[in-house]
């Protein structure tokens, strides 16, 4: 990974245009080819970015301070450098991946085995469907044949919705899968996460761990 801190301005030219005026910013250049521009706020979210595959060209003789990032669609991220304050490269090696909470991992396994929990006619495509930014917990199809990406959490919070949003953005670029809709599934979903998911067209599903395991609730019920 390459870390560059620089005073720069950034212009995006593609399906729309966007401009970031001159300011000190962090530029992350990852081994997968992605380039993202960060400020010292917004948590982990970049101000602008280019997803892989893309190429970075670091200036020419007549435009020495201009970096141009181009993706396969021809969209451009143009970074105009005014002053580079830091530039370092670090080898991170192969990442072992996220080790999930035991209950969360078991929820994924149980839901894959009982995919009809999501609705009648659902069929499993696969668990841990790999993408360029990580594995989708479950990829399946609904009764109408539409592709559905499912993100599973023990406790559903806003960061889980953001994670699923990124997966959906990537999956919907694949013509063999698109259109892809999302389901955010958890034992408990926080109100703020539910509002954000609904705003983004993502369905929410509460998972009953004991029911998935086939354990009957011993509480009295009225039918």
């Amino acid at each position: 990974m390459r870390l560059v801190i620089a005073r720069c301005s950034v212009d995006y030219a593609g399906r729309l245009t966007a401009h970031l005026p001159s300011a000190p910013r962090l530029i992350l250049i990852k081994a997968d080819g992605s380039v993202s521009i960060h400020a010292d706020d917004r948590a982990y979210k970049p101000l602008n970015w280019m997803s892989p595959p893309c190429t970075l060209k670091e200036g020419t003789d007549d435009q020495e301070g201009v970096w141009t990032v181009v993706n396969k669609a021809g969209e451009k991220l143009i970074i105009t450098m005014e002053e580079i304050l830091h530039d370092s490269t670090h080898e991170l090696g192969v990442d072992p991946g996220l080790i999930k909470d035991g209950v969360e991992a078991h929820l994924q396994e149980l839901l894959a085995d009982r995919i009809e929990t999501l609705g009648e006619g659902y069929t499993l495509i696969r668990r841990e469907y790999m993408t360029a930014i990580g594995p989708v917990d479950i990829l399946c199809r609904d009764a109408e044949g539409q592709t559905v990406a499912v993100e599973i959490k023990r406790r559903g919070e806003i960061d889980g919705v953001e994670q699923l949003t990124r997966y959906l953005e990537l999956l919907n670029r694949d013509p063999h899968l698109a259109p892809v809709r999302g389901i955010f599934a958890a034992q408990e979903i926080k109100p703020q996460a539910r509002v954000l998911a609904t705003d983004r067209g993502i369905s929410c599903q509460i998972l009953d761990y004991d029911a998935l395991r086939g354990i009957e609730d011993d509480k009295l019920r009225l039918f």
Side-chain angles (χ1 to χ4, degrees):
M1 178 183 292
R2 185 177 176 189
L3 307 176
V4 179
I5 299 174
R7 179 173 291 279
C8 61
S9 59
V10 184
D11 292 277
Y12 170 80
R15 289 166 292 181
L16 48 80
T17 59
H19 175 71
L20 293 172
S22 176
R25 297 193 175 90
L26 169 65
I27 304 167
L28 293 183
I29 305 162
K30 294 187 177 181
D32 64 2
S34 63
V35 178
S36 55
I37 315 295
H38 296 261
D40 202 12
D41 60 5
R42 293 170 55 96
Y44 56 86
K45 292 188 67 175
L47 297 165
N48 214 325
W49 68 93
M50 194 71 80
S51 300
C54 55
T55 57
L56 168 63
K57 185 175 181 181
E58 296 186 31
T60 59
D61 291 339
D62 56 337
Q63 290 186 311
E64 184 177 351
V66 178
W67 293 13
T68 304
V69 187
V70 184
N71 67 11
K72 63 180 180 181
E75 298 168 320
K76 294 182 179 180
L77 199 63
I78 302 167
I79 308 168
T80 303
M81 299 290 191
E82 298 173 18
E83 180 183 9
I84 294 178
L85 307 172
H86 175 87
D87 189 347
S88 64
T89 302
H90 307 271
E91 180 59 55
L92 301 186
V94 178
D95 190 90
L98 179 67
I99 299 174
K100 295 192 175 184
D101 173 271
V103 173
E104 187 175 306
H106 199 206
L107 278 169
Q108 182 193 120
E109 181 182 348
L110 290 169
L111 185 58
D113 288 340
R114 298 165 176 79
I115 198 67
E116 68 279 359
T117 301
L118 298 175
E120 186 177 352
Y122 273 71
T123 55
L124 179 69
I125 297 176
R126 68 168 297 168
R127 289 173 54 198
E128 299 286 334
Y129 185 88
M130 187 56 65
T131 74
I133 58 174
V136 177
D137 286 336
I138 290 178
L139 199 68
C140 57
R141 294 193 190 280
D142 64 17
E144 286 72 43
Q146 183 177 0
T147 309
V148 182
V150 185
E151 180 63 28
I152 299 171
K153 300 293 183 186
R154 185 168 62 86
R155 181 181 294 107
E157 301 187 25
I158 284 177
D159 58 350
V161 179
E162 294 282 10
Q163 183 179 359
L164 180 54
T165 300
R166 293 193 295 273
Y167 287 143
L168 289 171
E169 181 183 352
L170 195 62
L171 291 169
N172 272 301
R173 297 178 190 176
D174 187 337
H176 299 293
L177 297 175
V180 185
R181 64 181 180 88
I183 295 178
F184 189 50
Q187 289 179 280
E188 172 194 359
I189 298 177
K190 296 293 186 181
Q192 300 93 331
R194 187 180 291 275
V195 169
L196 180 61
T198 302
D199 182 67
R200 295 183 177 181
I202 295 171
S203 303
C204 292
Q205 177 93 23
I206 296 295
L207 299 177
D208 186 327
Y209 186 45
D210 287 340
L212 285 171
R213 294 168 64 201
I215 300 174
E216 289 292 336
D217 190 346
D218 61 1
K219 296 178 182 177
L220 292 176
R221 297 180 181 177
L222 294 176
F223 295 92

